Amino acid sequence: MTKIPGYFQHDRLEPQALNIAQKVWAGERITEEEGLYLYEKGEPAYLATLATFIREKKNGKKVFFNRNFHLEPTNVCVYDCKFCSYSRAIKKRSDGWELSFEEMLNAVKAYDNKHVTEVHIVGGVLPQYDLPFYEKLFSAIRAHRPSLHIKALTPVEFFYIFKKAKVSYEEGMRRLKEAGLDSIPGGGAEIFHPEIREIIAKDKCDGQQWLDIHEVSHNLGIRSNATMLYGHIEAYRHRIDHMEKLRQLQDKTGGFQTFIPLKFRNDNNEMSHISEGSVIEDLRNYAISRIYLDNFDHVKAYWPMIGKETTHLALSFGVDDIDGTIDDTTKIYSMAGSEEQNPVMTTPELIEFIQAAGYQPIERDTLYNTVHDYDKEAYVPLHDLANA
Ligand code: V47
Ligand code: SF4
């Protein structure tokens, strides 16, 4: 049997906890029942130790970030997800926007002299943003700045626009890839289990359709992320079911890069009556995801959502990625009551933030190639890198 640290041999550990620790130390996969046990009984320090063991085996002390900005075409949507401050139920408010093609392209051009490697395009679903629209947009961005990685849309939009265009998932994804789409962010996953999805996100693509579209994309060489919206009406078993489905698909395709747990925020939406979870529950959730998803390389804490302090703590609970500089270009979370109302961290701030927690800052591109290793290189001011 693999020798595990003395910490785990303490008398207070239940046999099941000890057994899970032994499996993790031996690099074995835990079962759904064991995952549930971790949610129900796993103490924070125990979970942190297991998750850190795995994160160090996979990524050492590295903490990844990138230089990105968000493009949010609209904050109104034909759907009515109960947790979302973009949904049609609150469409009548005065602060709605619907960007035109030119406005979107101008938003990208505004970064012409800045060293960013990725544009992350995500927002509401509207009929005018159809398949030809996105083909034209991606082609125009590609033509304007060929090196900018386009990470865009989710199966929620894909399902809607492919159905409208009467094309298969394969044909639709192939056309978008040809237009310039490089990868897919993790959104729209919410909770796959129909018991929950039908209450919180009734009309949009279901869990299986979300998984099928990612599978088709992976088979076309398009990498993607996966999220889980947690801490609302779901039970622990729904979270395990969600991660199990992701783990199975990852076994099949290997196309997922990062898992991103998204903490439910309750401001300005139809689920405002539900209290938000505690920070310790967020940290336990990061650790359990790191332990459960043994075939995912990375777990990301999305700092604009949970705030800088919790993000710092999350680095000791299995997280190795904190997303990017963001540059105050996202409104999804600030509208839902997130910690960071105007999220911006400059690159030097991100580097210092990571080093202060004892980790090694790595600027990556979207596909996790190293752009700069800041333990080895000094930071070079932005203007020297413009258009690099
Ligand atoms: O699918 C909406 C979530 C997601 C709320 O792939 C909410 O790198 C909490 O997926 N409380 C979209 N969450 C954003 C997303 C994302 C973000 C950052 C990085 C990446 C990546 C992907 O935002 C939606 C939904 O799950 N969301 N409203 C809310 N009230
Ligand atoms: Fe629309 Fe996405 Fe919000 Fe649902 S979560 S209402 S699909 S923007």
Side-chain angles (χ1 to χ4, degrees):
M1 185 158 295
T2 323
K3 198 168 176 326
I4 60 170
Y7 169 81
F8 292 111
Q9 283 148 13
H10 198 282
D11 287 349
R12 72 185 167 78
L13 273 197
E14 291 182 3
Q16 203 167 347
L18 184 58
N19 188 42
I20 293 172
Q22 273 164 342
K23 283 178 93 168
V24 169
W25 240 257
E28 288 169 25
R29 176 168 282 190
I30 67 164
T31 64
E32 289 180 63
E33 292 70 36
E34 287 164 340
L36 209 48
Y37 173 88
L38 293 181
Y39 270 125
E40 281 162 0
K41 301 243 174 120
E43 291 174 8
Y46 163 87
L47 295 172
T49 307
L50 292 183
T52 300
F53 172 75
I54 298 168
R55 77 91 75 210
E56 287 190 356
K57 214 159 94 170
K58 287 181 182 283
N59 295 302
K61 288 276 187 193
K62 291 176 181 169
V63 174
F64 298 92
F65 69 94
N66 70 347
R67 296 202 217 188
N68 62 352
F69 66 100
H70 285 220
L71 171 56
E72 296 182 357
T74 177
N75 66 342
V76 287
C77 185
V78 298
Y79 293 120
D80 183 20
C81 301
K82 303 296 175 213
F83 54 83
C84 180
S85 46
Y86 278 20
S87 85
R88 73 168 170 245
I90 27 188
K91 189 174 174 175
K92 290 194 191 84
R93 62 164 177 255
S94 56
D95 59 349
W97 71 82
E98 293 177 26
L99 300 186
S100 66
F101 173 82
E102 283 72 26
E103 286 170 323
M104 289 187 212
L105 200 54
N106 285 338
V108 172
K109 288 180 179 170
Y111 282 83
D112 276 0
N113 291 316
K114 293 190 181 172
H115 178 83
V116 285
T117 56
E118 171 192 288
V119 54
H120 177 163
I121 306 176
V122 68
V125 178
L126 285 180
Q128 70 266 34
Y129 304 142
D130 56 9
L131 180 58
F133 179 92
Y134 281 120
E135 282 180 288
K136 190 173 149 203
L137 179 68
F138 297 161
S139 304
I141 298 174
R142 171 64 69 249
H144 179 71
R145 190 164 172 176
S147 63
L148 188 67
H149 183 108
I150 304 175
K151 181 171 92 175
L153 313 185
T154 74
V156 177
E157 287 96 340
F158 296 136
F159 186 79
Y160 180 90
I161 67 179
F162 295 166
K163 195 169 170 197
K164 196 166 168 213
K166 298 191 175 61
V167 298
S168 66
Y169 299 163
E170 282 81 0
E171 187 188 336
M173 290 313 306
R174 201 182 296 279
R175 276 171 58 175
L176 290 173
K177 186 181 177 190
E178 273 163 24
L181 177 71
D182 291 302
S183 72
I184 305 176
E190 325 312 359
I191 288 284
F192 295 141
H193 201 295
E195 277 172 14
I196 302 301
R197 200 172 183 89
E198 273 163 27
I199 298 171
I200 66 167
K202 191 160 52 74
D203 300 319
K204 68 184 185 186
C205 75
D206 66 23
Q208 193 54 53
Q209 287 158 344
W210 189 99
L211 291 159
D212 289 345
I213 290 175
H214 277 261
E215 182 170 356
V216 165
S217 306
H218 294 173
N219 290 338
L220 290 170
I222 302 171
R223 306 295 303 273
S224 69
N225 293 337
T227 56
M228 174 173 77
L229 176 70
Y230 71 94
H232 42 90
I233 59 164
E234 89 289 1
Y236 288 146
R237 71 184 165 85
H238 298 116
R239 295 191 205 177
I240 290 293
D241 175 79
H242 190 91
M243 290 194 286
E244 176 56 25
K245 291 196 163 77
L246 291 173
R247 197 165 73 168
Q248 284 177 15
L249 180 53
Q250 181 73 332
D251 276 345
K252 243 168 127 178
T253 65
F256 287 118
Q257 305 203 98
T258 315
F259 180 65
I260 312 156
L262 294 173
K263 177 196 182 109
F264 165 66
R265 308 305 310 235
N266 68 4
D267 218 12
N268 199 22
N269 57 47
E270 289 179 81
M271 284 163 67
S272 295
H273 56 286
I274 297 170
S275 312
E276 292 179 0
S278 65
V279 169
I280 201 73
E281 183 65 12
D282 297 331
L283 298 174
R284 290 177 73 253
N285 188 67
Y286 281 119
I288 296 167
S289 334
R290 182 57 291 172
I291 297 164
Y292 200 81
L293 293 170
D294 60 342
N295 53 4
F296 275 63
D297 288 340
H298 305 285
V299 174
K300 183 192 282 189
Y302 186 54
W303 68 264
M305 163 70 89
I306 55 166
K308 292 177 191 169
E309 285 173 12
T310 308
T311 303
H312 241 176
L313 294 169
L315 298 179
S316 301
F317 285 76
V319 163
D320 65 279
D321 189 304
I322 59 171
D323 203 84
T325 41
I326 310 287
D327 204 18
D328 195 14
T329 47
T330 177
K331 289 282 167 269
I332 295 183
Y333 304 104
S334 50
M335 287 175 71
S338 63
E339 300 301 325
E340 305 290 338
Q341 285 298 302
N342 297 98
V344 189
M345 266 211 263
T346 62
T347 305
E349 279 167 352
L350 273 168
I351 295 166
E352 202 178 304
F353 179 83
I354 294 166
Q355 284 173 335
Y359 289 92
Q360 179 188 356
I362 302 286
E363 184 191 332
R364 60 166 175 83
D365 65 12
T366 311
L367 301 175
Y368 286 86
N369 300 302
T370 299
V371 177
H372 292 289
D373 177 345
Y374 289 109
D375 264 11
K376 298 203 181 105
E377 315 163 39
Y379 168 70
V380 181
L382 282 184
H383 62 269
D384 291 345
L385 288 167
N387 289 326

